[in-house]
Amino acid sequence: MPDETALDHAHAAMSAAPSDVAARMAFHACLADSELFLMLEEEAKGETLRPQVFPLESGPVVLAFDTEARLAGFAGAAVPYAALPGRVLARMLAGQALGLGLNLDVAPSSILLPAEAMDWLAGMLNETPREMTARPEEITPPGALPEALLPALDARLARAAGLAQAAWLCGVRYKGGGQGHLLAFVGTVPEAERALARAVGEALAFSGLEAAALDVAFLDAEDALLPRLARVGLRFDLPEPEAAPEPPGPRPAPGTDPERPPRLR
């Protein structure tokens, strides 16, 4: 179908292999990355949203769609809505005992996700790797890693345009025998560490590798560790920002800041 979306494809892969953990993880990762259109009772007021809540036998749910056309097709008329990333919606619903009806009756990816699933997804999105506090004694090429990790890292770092220049992934051994993997960023812009650590945490969570299995470091361009990393590490180049930041303007729309999900009312 020409109008199929990334969520349709991820849902089809998950449905075709119900026991495949990787397929389920890929669907939820796609859900977190997708822009969703949340059906509202009334137009958003500031940072407060009042979604339409539907009382189903399995529990109350809100409805969201991955295209405006699908929202309109379900509603049959113009309705107020808020456009926000799936990750923001998950954090907004977490702990509210509200499930999510996604693309209900209008797409191949029609699915009901219970409140517990939204709580789980929000928890996955909050996973962060630990920041390195010790200098490694030995640096080696990356060892065995989940097959899904590298493309997941590549995709999430591609969205972190301008936050750093590059990153190297390598194996490390610390004094005392501790070992693992390290992702070291260089050229990080001020105060971008948290956003980068969160992006790495999401890649880890959805690829089956625990956050504790990978350390993150933020190094200066002159750090003596960099030549060693460059010799054996796997390099990720972060893209340049597309344009200079816009000057301060009106208050941003609800859901545009993933660190500050809108409030429910």
Side-chain angles (χ1 to χ4, degrees):
M1 296 173 60
D3 58 347
E4 284 190 341
T5 65
L7 269 173
D8 292 335
H9 293 296
H11 182 270
M14 179 178 67
S15 300
S19 61
D20 188 339
V21 175
R24 292 201 303 273
M25 287 291 195
F27 169 77
H28 286 91
C30 185
L31 175 62
D33 291 342
S34 296
E35 182 180 42
L36 300 178
F37 299 88
L38 175 67
M39 185 182 296
L40 302 179
E41 288 277 3
E42 59 187 15
E43 296 293 342
K45 296 178 180 178
E47 294 185 359
T48 301
L49 301 180
R50 186 182 178 188
Q52 288 197 40
V53 177
F54 294 80
L56 305 183
E57 288 187 6
S58 57
V61 300
V62 300
L63 301 187
F65 305 82
D66 61 350
T67 70
E68 292 176 87
R70 289 175 171 180
L71 168 61
F74 177 89
V79 294
Y81 67 87
L84 63 168
R87 69 189 66 250
V88 173
L89 181 57
R91 293 186 182 119
M92 185 178 75
L93 296 180
Q96 302 296 321
L98 288 172
L100 173 65
L102 177 68
N103 288 335
L104 291 188
D105 299 330
V106 295
S109 52
S110 174
I111 188 172
L112 274 173
L113 298 169
E116 294 80 5
M118 303 312 296
D119 292 342
W120 172 85
L121 180 56
M124 293 287 283
L125 295 168
N126 287 331
E127 287 287 328
T128 55
R130 64 192 179 192
E131 187 171 345
M132 183 189 74
T133 57
R135 301 285 288 187
E137 284 194 332
E138 183 181 357
I139 297 177
T140 64
L145 292 166
E147 183 178 347
L149 177 61
L150 296 184
L153 273 176
D154 199 42
R156 277 157 180 78
L157 295 183
R159 294 200 303 272
L163 297 187
Q165 294 176 356
W168 281 270
L169 177 65
C170 61
V172 289
R173 186 183 302 275
Y174 298 106
K175 185 177 181 179
Q179 61 184 9
H181 284 88
L182 170 69
L183 186 68
F185 289 92
V186 64
T188 306
V189 303
E191 301 183 1
E193 291 88 353
R194 183 178 179 184
L196 289 170
R198 186 180 292 279
V200 174
E202 290 182 13
L204 293 172
F206 290 114
S207 62
L209 187 66
E210 293 183 1
L214 185 144
D215 294 329
V216 169
F218 300 97
L219 306 179
D220 296 328
E222 297 80 18
D223 196 295
L225 201 60
L226 282 179
R228 298 167 61 192
L229 293 170
R231 281 196 296 271
V232 299
L234 179 63
R235 175 170 176 147
F236 296 85
D237 287 304
L238 278 71
E240 295 288 334
E242 294 184 359
E246 293 290 334
R251 190 183 190 90
T256 55
D257 183 354
E259 302 296 332
R260 298 181 60 189
R263 296 185 295 270
L264 292 178
R265 183 164 69 87

